[in-house]
Amino acid sequence: MKHLLLSIILILTLSHAQSQLFTDSYIKKLNNSQFTIYHDTKAHFSVNSTPANRLVKQGKVITEKLLKALNDKDKVIMVHYILCQIYFNHVSFAGPKESSKEEHTVYKYYLGEEKGSGLIISETKKNGNYNMYVEEEDIRIIHDYWKEKTGKK
């Protein structure tokens, strides 16, 4: 009986460790380029990311790891998308709102709760190519939002 109990504890410990490794691996594979804005139709996007789908399935237990990854400007859009899917089971998207900045136009999109806070995604267009990014201030705002929303510090 003692050996059976030790075996079960060992299996559960190894399973948890393996799950943590997979989580870290999936987060490492995230990139904002997996989020695509369609410009032919207003407020339409797609996500092409197997790691994101797997992270959503893991649920709220990975929140702290996602909050850390939220600070990465190359992952922030995908991490915010995943948190929205985990906590709200959906994500709203709106835009673009145009504003002039220096010599070019900046397009602003909203990704988040339908009637709440969200991430502002900025985009510029040069020579027919779009450049998607999130400004530092918007990263800070959404990080603070998720810390408060999840109760994690």
Side-chain angles (χ1 to χ4, degrees):
M1 183 69 174
K2 196 179 211 181
H3 290 292
L4 178 61
L5 184 59
L6 286 173
S7 296
I8 291 172
I9 291 171
L10 179 63
I11 289 169
L12 289 175
T13 302
L14 291 174
S15 175
H16 179 72
Q18 185 178 23
S19 175
Q20 293 295 319
L21 289 173
F22 282 135
T23 300
D24 293 341
S25 172
Y26 295 148
I27 289 173
K28 195 175 202 174
K29 292 176 183 174
L30 294 175
N31 188 293
N32 291 338
S33 66
Q34 298 162 336
F35 182 92
T36 303
I37 296 172
Y38 291 105
H39 301 98
D40 296 338
T41 55
K42 188 173 182 175
H44 187 71
F45 74 95
S46 71
V47 170
N48 185 14
S49 175
T50 300
N53 296 335
R54 291 189 175 150
L55 289 165
V56 169
K57 287 179 184 176
Q58 289 184 31
K60 293 179 181 179
V61 297
I62 63 169
T63 296
E64 287 187 42
K65 289 188 178 213
L66 291 172
L67 287 177
K68 288 178 186 172
L70 199 57
N71 290 318
D72 185 332
K73 66 180 177 73
D74 296 322
K75 299 179 187 313
V76 64
I77 297 170
M78 289 303 298
V79 173
H80 175 68
Y81 168 83
I82 292 164
L83 285 165
C84 286
Q85 291 293 349
I86 291 171
Y87 281 85
F88 313 130
N89 294 318
H90 74 283
V91 61
S92 294
F93 187 67
K97 181 178 179 183
E98 294 182 26
S99 63
S100 294
K101 192 173 187 178
E102 297 168 15
E103 294 183 12
H104 58 277
T105 301
V106 177
Y107 304 93
K108 302 279 188 172
Y109 297 87
Y110 168 88
L111 182 70
E113 287 184 89
E114 188 170 337
K115 294 183 179 177
S117 295
L119 179 65
I120 301 299
I121 301 169
S122 299
E123 191 176 56
T124 58
K125 182 179 179 182
K126 185 175 182 179
N127 298 328
N129 296 317
Y130 289 92
N131 177 39
M132 183 174 57
Y133 62 95
V134 178
E135 293 181 6
E136 291 294 326
E137 178 65 10
D138 292 323
I139 292 173
R140 186 194 60 73
I141 290 169
I142 204 64
H143 189 266
D144 290 348
Y145 165 79
W146 279 113
K147 283 193 331 190
E148 183 179 322
K149 187 78 171 174
T150 62
K152 307 282 183 187
K153 300 294 175 195

